[in-house]
Amino acid sequence: MGEGERFQLGTVGALTLSVVSSVSIVICNKALMSSLHFIFATTLTSWHLLVTFCSLHVALKMRFFEHKPFEQKAVMGFGILNGISIGLLNLSLGFNSVGFYQMTKLAIIPCTVLLETIFLGKRFSKRIQFALSILLLGVGIATVTDLQLNALGSFLSFLAVITTCVAQIMTNTIQKKYKVSSTQLLYQSCPYQAATLLIAGPYLDKLLTNQNVFGFKYTTQVTVFIILSCLISISVNFSTFLVIGKTSPVTYQVLGHLKTCLVLAFGYILLRDPFSWRNILGILIAMIGMILYSYYCTLENQQKTVEAASQSSQAREDESDPLMNVENGSAVVSSNVGQRQMSPVWSKSKD
């Protein structure tokens, strides 16, 4: 199996792991929050990150991966920014209607495209932009219901979108810049993410729910679901970094909307959530957008592979040309030398 085939297989595996683990944790958390009334989302996320770090530390001791330290300021800034973005998304949901929150999530893709175009010089073809537009239209139809605006909620949503975009772009660029794997980056940034949310989580949850996470009655059933949620989160956090590192922040967001559609479908099938023709139409349009995006990405990647191969063969030809040029050059030099040697004799004889 060639290197390209192994990379594609790894990418498909990462995407599959991300979808399965994310849908699983959404179903688990929905049962935890809706049925068992544990509504402290930010604090729960901090526990997720803490458990993820502990599991990666055990994996490191068992030598499943190698620790590769790099610039500490970059790790700290990245970890804190990730924690802040999670907190802001939760605040956005708390201070806005569900419909406006869904619009906030939809805004992440165009914002990421804009930031990558302006600051990283990345170019998105018209085909890719068209596919993303179809995707966003479908998800918007399926999820956005009411749009109630307020100044504070809108400002929090704006901050949430910016921090989320920057954090996801950094996830990709840091892995490439410092040549670290997704596991190495997650291991080093997890303590800063967890610390940020462990400190801020109880206060944010108190602000949003008017309840104290430490005063909640933890029954056996609640504890079991929290542990299950934390265990699934290991796979969610790992696959998030893996997908962004292997693909791009935009692809990760596209995958996120696929998860949204799947969660809506599973909610209807398993939990008998209300479902309308609008939901069905939106999901179908979104799926068309995802298929187009996948097709165009595959097409452009194949074109890049062909171009890279042709450039490589051209480079090999260019490497062989100088040898012939040197040989031709030496023949010219020798003939010139011969002419110079002959010219005095010719001159003298002429004289």
Side-chain angles (χ1 to χ4, degrees):
M1 184 182 292
E3 185 178 346
E5 291 178 347
R6 282 199 300 271
F7 178 80
Q8 288 180 355
L9 190 61
T11 303
V12 171
L15 294 171
T16 305
L17 178 64
S18 180
V19 170
V20 172
S21 58
S22 295
V23 172
S24 300
I25 202 168
V26 166
I27 293 172
C28 178
N29 287 349
K30 190 165 186 178
L32 184 62
M33 293 180 181
S34 299
S35 303
L36 302 175
H37 308 293
F38 183 86
I39 52 177
F40 310 103
T42 311
T43 303
L44 180 63
T45 305
S46 70
W47 296 345
H48 287 170
L49 290 164
L50 193 61
V51 170
T52 300
F53 173 72
C54 292
S55 64
L56 287 175
H57 190 68
V58 172
L60 178 65
K61 293 299 181 184
M62 297 175 68
R63 297 183 179 179
F64 282 112
F65 69 97
E66 182 183 351
H67 181 48
K68 186 180 178 182
F70 59 97
E71 191 177 335
Q72 195 62 30
K73 287 182 180 179
V75 178
M76 185 183 299
F78 170 71
I80 293 173
L81 181 64
N82 255 313
I84 291 172
S85 71
I86 294 169
L88 284 171
L89 281 170
N90 287 338
L91 280 173
S92 174
L93 178 59
F95 282 90
N96 290 300
S97 63
V98 175
F100 191 82
Y101 175 71
Q102 289 296 340
M103 285 295 293
T104 299
K105 290 175 69 178
L106 289 177
I108 292 174
I109 283 184
C111 183
T112 303
V113 169
L114 182 64
L115 290 177
E116 287 195 309
T117 302
I118 294 173
F119 295 104
L120 299 180
K122 192 172 181 180
R123 293 289 176 263
F124 295 86
S125 67
K126 296 290 185 184
R127 295 181 299 187
I128 294 292
Q129 292 176 29
F130 172 72
L132 291 174
S133 301
I134 296 294
L135 165 67
L136 295 176
L137 174 65
V139 177
I141 292 172
T143 60
V144 177
T145 51
D146 56 329
L147 287 176
Q148 299 173 10
L149 302 178
N150 65 83
L152 178 59
S154 300
F155 179 67
L156 289 171
S157 294
F158 173 75
L159 292 179
V161 170
I162 296 297
T163 52
T164 301
C165 292
V166 173
Q168 291 180 0
I169 291 171
M170 285 180 68
T171 304
N172 183 271
T173 53
I174 286 176
Q175 290 186 53
K176 291 178 179 176
K177 181 179 179 181
Y178 296 102
K179 302 292 189 293
V180 292
S181 68
S182 55
T183 312
Q184 291 166 335
L185 178 58
L186 181 60
Y187 174 71
Q188 293 183 66
S189 63
C190 246
Y192 299 106
Q193 295 183 60
T196 303
L197 293 177
L198 279 170
I199 295 168
Y203 297 102
L204 290 180
D205 289 332
K206 174 76 173 175
L207 178 67
L208 294 172
T209 65
N210 239 0
Q211 296 182 40
N212 189 346
V213 65
F214 302 110
F216 186 80
K217 186 179 179 181
Y218 291 88
T219 63
T220 304
Q221 194 175 13
V222 170
T223 306
V224 167
F225 268 90
I226 289 174
I227 293 171
L228 179 61
S229 178
C230 288
L231 292 175
I232 299 173
S233 73
I234 299 171
S235 176
V236 172
N237 291 322
F238 173 71
S239 62
T240 296
F241 279 58
L242 191 61
V243 168
I244 295 176
K246 282 186 171 293
T247 56
S248 70
V250 173
T251 299
Y252 175 72
Q253 284 299 321
V254 170
L255 190 69
H257 292 307
L258 170 62
K259 298 170 194 173
T260 301
C261 294
L262 290 175
V263 167
L264 285 173
F266 279 121
Y268 172 71
I269 296 169
L270 300 177
L271 304 176
R272 296 299 174 188
D273 288 342
F275 213 62
S276 66
W277 282 107
R278 176 176 173 170
N279 298 128
I280 297 171
L281 176 64
I283 289 174
L284 289 175
I285 294 174
M287 293 303 293
I288 291 170
M290 289 174 206
I291 292 168
L292 287 174
Y293 178 80
S294 302
Y295 173 72
Y296 290 146
C297 282
T298 304
L299 203 62
E300 292 185 5
N301 287 335
Q302 288 175 350
Q303 289 174 352
K304 288 177 183 177
T305 304
V306 171
E307 288 173 6
S310 64
Q311 288 175 0
S312 177
S313 62
Q314 183 66 36
R316 283 195 295 270
E317 289 175 6
D318 291 342
E319 287 174 2
S320 63
D321 285 345
L323 297 175
M324 297 183 66
N325 291 336
V326 168
E327 291 175 1
N328 295 335
S330 62
V332 171
V333 169
S334 61
S335 68
N336 289 338
V337 170
Q339 287 177 3
R340 289 196 191 98
Q341 289 175 347
M342 291 290 291
S343 59
V345 175
W346 179 82
S347 300
K348 285 180 182 178
S349 62
K350 184 178 180 181
D351 292 336

